[in-house]
């Protein structure tokens, strides 16, 4: 699995508004209504991550959830992380 170069990542981030590269990971923070809303999103993403066997690092602060993506097996950000970021955006957009 190919670790993306800084320029490849810059190009990819143009189509991933809201995500940024921080400390070598792809990161985005979502603000939900409240803690239960945060947990619902975390569980939605968690089920997907388990299905695709690619897992985000997750931090929850009450109604804010931060997903940090990297491919541990490759030691950096890969296409798998870009795909997971796109999927997280879809899951976050659901209003159920
Ligand atoms: C065997 C299993 O598929 C691997 O350990 C997966 C699990 N989930 C993973 N998640 C992430 N973010 N990086 C990995 O390298 C990784 N490897």
């Amino acid at each position: 699995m190919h670790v993306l170069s800084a320029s490849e990542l810059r190009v990819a981030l143009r189509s991933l508004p809201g995500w940024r590269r921080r400390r070598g990971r792809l990161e985005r923070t979502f603000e939900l209504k409240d803690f239960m809303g945060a947990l619902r999103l975390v569980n939605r993403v968690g089920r997907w991550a388990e299905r695709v066997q690619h897992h985000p690092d997750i931090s929850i602060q009450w109604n804010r959830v931060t997903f940090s993506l990297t491919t541990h097996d490759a030691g950096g950000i890969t296409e798998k992380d870009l795909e997971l970021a796109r999927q997280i955006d879809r899951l976050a957009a659901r209003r159920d």
Side-chain angles (χ1 to χ4, degrees):
M1 178 58 71
H2 159 66
V3 173
L4 299 170
S5 68
S7 55
E8 285 171 322
L9 196 51
R10 216 178 1 264
V11 170
L13 283 176
R14 287 187 208 139
S15 58
L16 279 168
W19 291 85
R20 62 179 183 273
R21 183 171 176 277
R22 280 191 69 203
R23 295 194 299 272
R25 292 164 185 273
L26 212 44
E27 268 195 13
R28 182 169 185 182
T29 298
F30 294 86
E31 188 162 328
L32 288 306
K33 191 163 54 75
D34 53 22
F35 186 66
M36 296 315 290
L39 288 181
R40 277 192 295 276
L41 177 58
V42 167
N43 277 281
R44 215 178 283 153
V45 172
R47 277 191 297 276
W48 178 268
E50 197 55 21
R51 183 196 302 185
V52 300
Q53 277 298 294
H54 196 68
H55 304 86
D57 299 337
I58 304 172
S59 159
I60 303 172
Q61 290 99 6
W62 190 62
N63 68 329
R64 293 167 65 81
V65 182
T66 298
F67 296 105
S68 278
L69 313 181
T70 187
T71 302
H72 302 291
D73 295 344
I77 298 171
T78 70
E79 182 57 38
K80 284 186 174 181
D81 300 302
L82 299 180
E83 188 41 48
L84 181 56
R86 292 182 198 107
Q87 184 60 28
I88 287 173
D89 285 348
R90 286 186 209 106
L91 294 169
R94 277 175 35 187
R95 280 285 165 274
D96 57 333

